[in-house]
Amino acid sequence: MKKGYFGDFGGQFIPELLMPPLIELEEAMATILPTEEFQTRFTNMLKENVGRPSAITYCPNLSKDLGLDLWLKREDLNHSGAHKINNTLGQGLLAKMMGKDVLLAETGAGMHGVATTVAAAMLDMKAVIYMGATDVVRQAPNVNRMRLMGAEIVPVESGTKTLKDAINEALRRWLSDQETTHYCFGTAAGPHPFPTLVREFQQIISKEARQQFMDRNAGRLPDVVVACVGGGSNAIGMFHNFVPDESVELVGVEAAGTGEPGCYSSAPLDHGTDGVLHGMLTKLLQTVDGQIEPSHSVAPGLDYPGVGPEHAHLHATGRGHYVTINDEQAINAFKVLSRREGIIPALESSHAVAYAIENKDRLQGKSVLVCLSGRGDKDLGILDQIL
Amino acid sequence: MNPMQIKIEEAKAKGKVGLIPFLPAGFPDREQFWTELAELDAAGASVIEIGMPFSDPVADGPVVEKASLKCLADGINLAWILTELKKRKGQFKAALLLMGYLNPVYQYGLDKFGKDCAEAGVSGLIIADMPLEESQFVKDAIAPHNVALVPLIGLNTTKERMKLYADGAQGFCYFVSVLGTTGQRESLPARIKEKLAEAKEVFDIPVALGFGIKHPDQLAEFEGLMDAAVFGSALISHIQSGNSSASFMEPWK
Ligand SMILES: Cc1ncc(COP(=O)(O)O)c(C=O)c1O
């Protein structure tokens, strides 16, 4: 297989001027990641600062309502409120050990921006965060948190003013500032080596969850493992250590937007075609002319017209099943989980929870382990307008 | 020899640098675009670089991005560009080059693209988001149609990588003057000279300097180190302010 590819997907479709920093990063992955110094410091940070291992939680009330066994992997309990912190501490430490002093990031929901800012503060680095102007408004609490912790926030006014455009602008900034700056990419997408690097830091989710589930279920594995898919980092982290377990069904949930005919979605695996964006060959929402279509989701972290190449591969081979949940179904799950279990999920994660609710008939009697990728505090403003 | 190289060598033989103006296809509008091309051609352009608009042009600065997005909004696509060029085949003295991003070309179909380029009189292609590592399948598809993939290199390209790019390269080599996006700059980095000298040593085809260039005076210090100059943002801004391509080209003659 070609380097940096997952089956037919992946690659490094990026301007030549970004190849030297990508090669430098690849070399750092090979030389720094395996060192005892890196591994010890990283493990300590995950334990002391993030609060790992995160719990898995059985949901007694919802399980009874739905007629299945519902378990949650609680990435929402992590410091800064989502799975994103696993990746930013890993990349931040790597960058620090590479001698960089700035962490540059894009963010949609703001969770990755917050997590990058936390990593920068902890490691005594500077954080520069690009965020679509639309998202700056709809995720205001996260913008405030980032500012408080010292990030420079750059609102992006171009294009759709969401995650896709924040990535474009961050790549442009990286072109110029590559000597001092590490681009702390927020999801398991982008040019090689990012999909692999991010998976490496996120696979701890399934490493813990698999063991925790077996410990609580007399050595049995879950029947179904579910995660929401924006770029796909929480999902690849949640799937990775279950991929060899053939009995475990892996379900990735993409956002269908409003779900009305003709609306924009954020579901490139379900509705997209092969194409090249942000350094990768993957599934994209695009016109027949190859122009990238705007995406839409009520969950800003899922609002992206592309998807990480490893998911495109799992989709193509059939190992992963990818389905869609619309805004209304996600908002319903947001309310149901809050009311029945006292857990307020992020709108992104609500898409994964909604899968269990909407498919309860098919899932009767099964054990369903859902990645609760983040908490919903950041979304209360959006919900105020809707509820 | 690729027509792009022939044209640049012709300028050199006259003691001049080759001129490579860039305009997005369909800019400033569908009709006027052809007038601008004719003016650039008449004013002695060696190669005319025609932009294929893309929704997410990460290597471009604000001027080119805005102009390209307007062309997109006007419905410009590859089919239009290639059909209209075909109608005008043979009308330009300059060699023609298409510049853009991979996805629109990929969707168009690489084999069809190579064939249609040849029929439209296009002899070169720049794909801004395609480094050496990914370029083979594109080269394979367009080479049978005598369309060359122009290598882009820059200040951070090592000599070893330059050599890999130089192997079998045709037309010219595009040296990017800055670590950054397209757009005018007040001054160019000092390191350019040293790296240009390296490029001149490695490539046996002409070397063109581009990004941030707006006036011939900027080139004096690079004499002997480059064979052609590419300018886009400055030309676009000039046209946007109501001036003609012809008047932009005056100081370059
Ligand atoms: C809570 C939460 N879940 C999921 C996502 C989607 O990202 P990914 O698909 O990379 O896991 C985000 C992105 O911002 C998020 O904040």
Side-chain angles (χ1 to χ4, degrees):
Chain A
M1 199 188 290
K2 263 177 81 183
K3 195 180 79 179
Y5 277 79
F6 303 90
D8 294 334
F9 303 100
Q12 294 180 297
F13 297 90
I14 210 81
E16 166 59 31
L17 301 194
L18 283 176
M19 283 305 294
L22 286 175
I23 292 168
E24 185 190 356
L25 180 59
E26 208 183 337
E27 283 167 5
M29 276 173 71
T31 55
I32 298 176
L33 279 198
T35 62
E36 203 184 310
E37 184 191 352
F38 181 91
Q39 290 299 331
T40 309
R41 284 177 72 182
F42 185 46
T43 308
N44 280 342
M45 288 197 303
L46 289 181
K47 197 168 146 210
E48 285 184 21
N49 300 84
V50 178
R52 299 210 76 90
S54 67
I56 65 164
T57 301
Y58 181 68
C59 298
N61 305 324
L62 255 182
S63 292
K64 200 158 140 253
D65 297 349
L66 300 174
L68 45 81
D69 274 335
L70 182 66
W71 295 81
L72 303 176
K73 176 60 175 167
R74 301 293 304 279
E75 294 300 301
D76 62 314
L77 296 178
N78 292 346
H79 173 47
S80 82
H83 68 292
K84 300 282 182 188
I85 189 84
N86 307 321
N87 173 43
T88 60
L89 287 183
Q91 286 198 48
L93 181 60
L94 182 63
K96 182 88 184 173
M97 290 173 73
M98 287 167 76
K100 308 279 174 185
D101 47 32
V102 180
L103 290 181
L104 165 68
E106 81 296 338
T107 195
M111 296 313 275
H112 175 59
V114 168
T116 303
T117 308
V118 169
M122 276 174 57
L123 294 160
D124 194 20
M125 299 170 85
K126 179 175 156 52
V128 177
I129 310 295
Y130 281 72
M131 189 169 187
T134 302
D135 293 333
V136 169
V137 175
R138 60 179 171 165
Q139 298 284 287
N142 274 342
V143 174
N144 294 337
R145 291 158 82 193
M146 286 186 265
R147 290 223 166 96
L148 181 64
M149 292 185 289
E152 173 194 334
I153 295 168
V154 186
V156 175
E157 296 286 350
S158 61
T160 57
K161 301 184 178 37
T162 58
L163 183 57
K164 161 180 94 76
D165 307 284
I167 294 177
N168 290 343
E169 284 299 332
L171 284 169
R172 288 172 176 141
R173 174 83 170 245
W174 198 30
L175 260 174
S176 312
D177 295 356
Q178 53 184 266
E179 271 154 34
T180 53
T181 298
H182 171 70
Y183 185 7
C184 186
F185 204 73
T187 189
H192 171 72
F194 284 114
T196 306
L197 181 65
V198 176
R199 182 195 64 200
E200 174 65 24
F201 293 134
Q202 292 295 1
Q203 56 91 23
I204 188 148
I205 302 174
S206 51
K207 191 175 169 199
E208 288 175 5
R210 190 175 180 282
Q211 192 58 51
Q212 289 165 323
F213 188 93
M214 292 202 302
D215 289 348
R216 299 276 297 276
N217 291 277
R220 277 191 299 110
L221 288 167
D223 297 312
V224 187
V225 165
V226 188
C228 66
V229 179
S233 69
N234 88 90
I236 211 69
M238 185 68 179
F239 292 174
H240 186 68
N241 293 289
F242 288 109
V243 169
D245 300 318
E246 279 169 26
S247 69
V248 179
E249 189 186 352
L250 304 175
V251 178
V253 183
E254 299 193 293
T258 61
E260 287 152 18
C263 82
Y264 289 118
S265 70
S266 303
L269 291 171
D270 286 273
H271 302 314
T273 49
D274 292 4
V276 175
L277 177 71
H278 295 149
M280 57 183 164
L281 174 52
T282 188
K283 292 280 179 195
L284 297 176
L285 299 175
Q286 59 180 325
T287 67
V288 287
D289 286 336
Q291 306 300 336
I292 307 306
E293 297 227 77
S295 54
H296 169 77
S297 170
V298 69
L302 304 184
D303 197 344
Y304 181 58
V307 63
E310 193 167 3
H311 287 292
H313 176 57
L314 291 174
H315 176 254
T317 58
R319 179 64 189 96
H321 298 284
Y322 293 86
V323 300
T324 59
I325 284 292
N326 66 35
D327 291 349
E328 197 184 317
Q329 293 168 322
I331 290 165
N332 175 55
F334 182 94
K335 292 192 257 186
V336 168
L337 189 67
S338 301
R339 174 68 59 87
R340 295 296 286 148
E341 303 290 347
I343 297 170
I344 302 176
L347 278 174
E348 291 78 16
S349 323
S350 300
H351 283 73
V353 176
Y355 172 80
I357 298 175
E358 300 293 332
N359 293 278
K360 64 179 190 327
D361 293 341
R362 194 173 79 70
L363 297 171
Q364 285 303 297
K366 298 208 169 171
S367 56
V368 181
L369 175 57
V370 174
C371 182
L372 205 72
S373 54
R375 56 180 173 245
D377 312 32
K378 68 182 177 65
D379 298 316
L380 295 177
I382 298 182
L383 269 294
D384 273 352
Q385 292 164 16
I386 298 172
L387 293 178
Chain B
M1 200 185 279
N2 184 286
M4 298 185 291
Q5 179 171 0
I6 294 174
K7 289 292 166 185
I8 297 171
E9 305 276 3
E10 274 175 22
K12 267 180 83 177
K14 290 183 202 150
K16 296 178 176 176
V17 286
L19 302 181
I20 312 184
F22 165 87
L23 274 188
F27 177 85
D29 63 46
R30 282 169 181 252
E31 290 307 315
Q32 187 63 24
F33 175 66
W34 300 108
T35 310
E36 305 296 341
L37 277 203
E39 285 185 17
L40 293 170
D41 194 51
S46 309
V47 181
I48 302 177
E49 207 184 304
I50 299 173
M52 304 179 280
F54 181 49
S55 52
D56 294 81
V58 288
D60 286 305
V63 173
V64 174
E65 180 183 32
K66 221 173 137 220
S68 307
L69 292 181
K70 181 188 174 283
C71 297
L72 260 191
D74 290 345
I76 302 300
N77 61 11
L78 269 174
W80 182 83
I81 298 171
L82 289 164
T83 315
E84 293 296 317
L85 280 174
K86 194 173 161 185
K87 287 187 204 159
R88 295 166 176 82
K89 191 175 178 185
Q91 286 181 15
F92 301 103
K93 295 190 294 280
L96 299 180
L97 164 72
L98 293 182
M99 182 272 167
Y101 294 79
L102 182 57
N103 199 44
V105 175
Y106 188 77
Q107 302 309 323
Y108 191 83
L110 281 165
D111 291 323
K112 181 164 150 54
F113 181 79
K115 187 169 144 283
D116 290 354
C117 276
E119 285 177 9
V122 171
S123 47
L125 175 65
I126 292 179
I127 301 277
D129 56 349
M130 206 182 51
L132 184 73
E133 281 77 355
E134 305 290 353
S135 59
Q136 198 55 46
F137 72 112
V138 174
K139 281 189 201 157
D140 290 347
I142 63 176
H145 306 285
N146 296 316
V147 181
L149 185 68
V150 171
L152 273 179
I153 59 167
L155 292 168
N156 58 353
T157 310
T158 59
K159 202 164 175 185
E160 287 65 43
R161 277 183 81 75
M162 284 189 196
K163 284 182 185 156
L164 297 172
Y165 273 111
D167 186 24
Q170 290 186 351
F172 68 95
C173 156
Y174 190 136
F175 186 92
V176 177
S177 67
V178 292
L179 280 184
T181 53
T182 54
Q184 301 176 47
R185 302 233 175 6
E186 282 317 312
S187 64
L188 295 173
R191 259 163 64 209
I192 294 180
K193 279 191 195 167
E194 181 193 320
K195 292 301 282 187
L196 266 181
E198 247 176 61
K200 283 295 287 175
E201 211 182 301
V202 170
F203 286 89
D204 56 12
I205 49 175
V207 174
L209 183 66
F211 281 40
I213 293 171
K214 59 176 176 181
H215 198 274
D217 293 351
Q218 280 170 294
L219 301 181
E221 56 176 320
F222 305 114
E223 214 188 309
L225 293 174
M226 42 89 81
D227 308 298
V230 190
F231 35 83
S233 297
L235 173 61
I236 291 171
S237 302
H238 184 81
I239 295 173
Q240 275 166 340
S241 318
N243 304 302
S244 69
S245 292
S247 66
F248 185 87
M249 293 296 276
E250 269 315 307
W252 294 88
K253 280 187 176 171

